[in-house]
Amino acid sequence: MTTFTEHSLLPALEGVSKSFGGQPVLRDLALSLAENGITCLLGPSGCGKSTLLRITAGLLPPDSGQTLLNAHDCAMVFQEPRLLPWLTVEENLGLALRGNKNAEQILQALKLVELGPDIINFLPRELSGGMAQRVGIARALLRQPRFLILDEPFAAIDAITRGTLQKMLAALIRAQKITCLFVTHDLDEALLLADRLHVMRDGKLSLEFVKSAEPFSAATVKEKILARLQNNQG
Amino acid sequence: MRINKIKYDGRTRRGLLALLLILIGWQLLASSGLVSVYLLPKPGTVLTTGIEMWRSGVLAEHIRASLLRIALGFALSGLAGLLLAGLTIRFRALDDYLAAPLALLRMIPPLAVTPLLILWLGIGSGTQLAIVILASFFPIFLSARDGFSRVSEAHRELAASLNLPPLPYFTHIALPSALPSIVTGLRLAFSYSWRALIGAELIAAASGLGYLVMNAQEMLRTDEVFVGILCIGVLGWILEAGFMRGTSRLLRRRFPEIAA
């Protein structure tokens, strides 16, 4: 049984704007994250979600405004596992330890993502898509981050594996008390995981949903968000 | 797998057949009396001379001299090429400063500077070494610089997100990303430097396979000239094939695209 926790808010972005080639992508954005919870960012492809996420992680400087998170406290999981194909699983994980192998820490991280020690000498091409993404998550966890930032990490994974990984991730985030920003274009995934859900459109964010102790109908929330998105497109 | 094996066997068989036909043609021409044996000795004579030269240690001594020069020169230019490529990628200003002088130097064939090198370094190993370095430096440097500049944006972003220090970044990301280009550059550099070394030994040396050929020609020992020339070809072939097989075996698991 899942118990509800009310999350305090951590300001992450303040007045952030970003343009590419004179085309504004983000306009004067502010974002706060649910502390030790999952903040989901939902929006159609190409709406600037990944740009916002990279600015939050300190990988991209904003044109104006500021990032309030320390980049050293952030770890990132990308859409594709982004494992180096010439390194074994153990070596890929060692990168998070700045190139130093620490077998005990690595095995512990693999255990967290429900992988056994038998794969440490595998190369990424010898792993399934789901296993590779688990290794990508383990690598991020090895940095012992305060903030975990995920860019549509399950988008390229089959539906059955995706369901398993979503549950695993949600349990991990809560157990490890990590503040998480999760970007997705899948409304069902967002509703399943989010403690707070923002929708992004026209370079702006709107808060659409905050998980509360009160029971809620996912179908109603979904309908409301879809209607909002469709009205906007129209 | 089986198809590849058959293709490979067929290729080898046809290659050996071509060599055999050349050998037969050579034997027929040398035996026909159309060409003087002083100009074209029979294959059997060349083989006997080669065995004699090997037994006396003369051939081994010259082979050793050439191999030592190529190994040392290749190692030095490899180190210099990789180091300079890394530095020019890291420090753009250095690349700007060096671009024009290096472009100029690259256009000068190594053998063209041999007279100058003889004046500066004398007729000895120093000149030969310099020739090998000049011949092999540019293919290694240019391919490594190209390789280092091809580190993907995704891998750069990964390194930034992991806050990876410069040394692990170089060893785990930059160098492996550049490896396919570097291997191609090393292969090219080897064939350039082998040819340049032999050329330099023909002009200014007191040992080495090039010197052996030149010396034999001055003594009108055409059979020894043939032994020297064949050694140059066979050794170059063996070394290049060994390099390819060695890199392929070494990189087979982690870099299957290079091994292929």
Side-chain angles (χ1 to χ4, degrees):
Chain A
M1 186 183 136
T2 311
T3 51
F4 172 74
T5 315
E6 200 156 328
H7 299 276
S8 49
L9 291 179
L10 278 173
L13 298 176
E14 199 176 78
V16 164
S17 297
K18 183 79 183 174
S19 302
F20 290 109
Q23 191 70 34
V25 178
L26 307 179
R27 301 162 198 255
D28 194 24
L29 275 180
L31 174 67
S32 292
L33 306 179
E35 189 173 19
N36 300 335
I38 301 177
T39 303
C40 274
L41 192 59
L42 181 79
S45 299
C47 73
K49 302 188 298 287
S50 294
T51 302
L52 181 138
L53 190 133
R54 277 163 176 75
I55 290 174
T56 311
L59 297 175
L60 193 67
D63 293 342
S64 60
Q66 56 178 333
T67 308
L68 301 169
L69 308 183
N70 184 344
H72 293 287
D73 292 335
C74 299
M76 185 135 177
V77 177
F78 299 93
Q79 187 169 351
E80 74 288 16
R82 219 171 275 195
L83 302 176
L84 296 174
W86 46 79
L87 297 184
T88 61
V89 166
E90 186 181 26
E91 290 159 344
N92 266 292
L93 292 175
L95 284 180
L97 304 169
R98 311 183 116 214
N100 305 315
K101 281 190 198 171
N102 181 324
E104 201 178 314
Q105 270 181 284
I106 286 171
L107 291 179
Q108 187 61 35
L110 283 176
K111 199 173 167 189
L112 283 176
V113 293
E114 296 162 12
L115 288 173
D118 49 317
I119 63 153
I120 58 167
N121 289 320
F122 282 24
L123 289 170
R125 68 167 186 275
E126 295 162 342
L127 302 173
S128 68
M131 284 166 98
Q133 195 54 286
R134 281 174 199 256
V135 175
I137 295 170
R139 182 179 57 196
L141 292 176
L142 268 170
R143 296 199 64 215
Q144 299 181 314
R146 195 172 159 216
F147 304 102
L148 184 62
I149 298 174
L150 302 102
D151 185 8
E152 303 190 42
F154 309 134
I157 289 171
D158 68 88
I160 296 167
T161 313
R162 193 186 313 144
T164 316
L165 289 179
Q166 284 163 344
K167 279 178 203 144
M168 182 207 77
L169 183 77
L172 253 176
I173 302 282
R174 301 198 203 295
Q176 303 278 314
K177 294 198 186 309
I178 299 171
T179 300
C180 177
L181 175 60
F182 190 102
V183 165
T184 181
H185 62 256
D186 182 339
L187 183 50
D188 292 320
E189 183 171 67
L191 281 172
L192 177 77
L193 295 173
D195 293 303
R196 287 171 72 81
L197 169 60
H198 293 270
V199 170
M200 191 166 181
R201 51 183 186 237
D202 291 340
K204 291 214 164 253
L205 284 176
S206 62
L207 180 63
E208 298 292 345
F209 169 71
V210 178
K211 199 172 272 178
S212 66
E214 301 300 319
F216 68 96
S217 155
T220 313
V221 177
K222 196 172 165 180
E223 208 172 293
K224 189 183 106 186
I225 293 172
L226 280 174
R228 182 81 64 103
L229 282 168
Q230 277 158 6
N231 285 343
N232 189 65
Q233 277 171 1
Chain B
M1 270 308 192
R2 186 158 173 76
I3 289 167
N4 285 345
K5 180 91 177 154
I6 290 165
K7 253 169 83 178
Y8 176 76
D9 285 350
R11 190 179 163 81
T12 310
R13 221 175 17 244
R14 281 192 285 274
L16 289 172
L17 184 67
L19 284 177
L20 189 68
L21 287 173
I22 291 170
L23 209 62
I24 292 168
W26 177 8
Q27 176 68 37
L28 289 174
L29 191 63
S31 312
S32 67
L34 290 170
V35 187
S36 158
V37 286
Y38 288 106
L39 296 179
L40 187 67
K42 291 178 184 169
T45 314
V46 172
L47 182 67
T48 314
T49 307
I51 292 169
E52 276 169 17
M53 287 170 77
W54 180 260
R55 280 192 181 146
S56 68
V58 175
L59 191 57
E61 186 193 316
H62 291 295
I63 289 175
R64 191 166 51 239
S66 291
L67 287 183
L68 207 64
R69 284 172 194 144
I70 198 93
L72 192 60
F74 204 60
L76 287 173
S77 65
L79 273 178
L82 289 178
L83 189 69
L84 198 62
L87 289 174
T88 52
I89 289 293
R90 177 72 184 80
F91 304 105
R92 289 289 169 182
L94 182 68
D95 192 40
D96 294 343
Y97 281 119
L98 291 179
L102 288 178
L104 182 82
L105 269 177
R106 192 159 57 91
M107 287 301 136
I108 302 171
L111 286 180
V113 292
T114 310
L116 199 58
L117 290 172
I118 293 170
L119 284 174
W120 288 347
L121 305 169
I123 296 179
S125 286
T127 298
Q128 319 306 326
L129 210 58
I131 293 287
V132 172
I133 291 171
L134 283 172
S136 54
F137 172 79
F138 285 105
I140 296 173
F141 166 70
L142 292 173
S143 59
R145 195 177 62 165
D146 180 55
F148 287 140
S149 66
R150 283 174 192 263
V151 176
S152 73
E153 186 52 42
H155 288 162
R156 270 201 288 264
E157 194 177 59
L158 172 70
S161 79
L162 293 170
N163 196 23
L164 213 56
L167 187 62
Y169 173 77
F170 179 77
T171 54
H172 289 91
I173 295 183
L175 190 61
S177 298
L179 211 55
S181 286
I182 292 174
V183 168
T184 307
L186 286 173
R187 189 183 177 191
L188 266 179
F190 172 74
S191 61
Y192 288 173
S193 58
W194 180 245
R195 280 178 243 167
L197 170 70
I198 301 299
E201 284 176 350
L202 285 167
I203 301 167
S207 61
L209 286 169
Y211 167 78
L212 170 77
V213 171
M214 208 58 198
N215 193 45
Q217 183 251 320
E218 281 167 10
M219 303 287 180
L220 295 176
R221 289 295 305 269
T222 322
D223 52 343
E224 288 189 7
V225 171
F226 267 86
V227 171
I229 290 171
L230 287 174
C231 272
I232 291 165
V234 171
L235 259 182
W237 188 15
I238 290 172
L239 288 175
E240 194 188 46
F243 173 78
M244 289 311 288
R245 190 159 285 200
T247 48
S248 174
R249 185 164 291 191
L250 206 65
L251 304 173
R252 188 167 40 201
R253 181 160 183 246
R254 290 174 187 252
F255 298 89
E257 73 280 10
I258 299 179

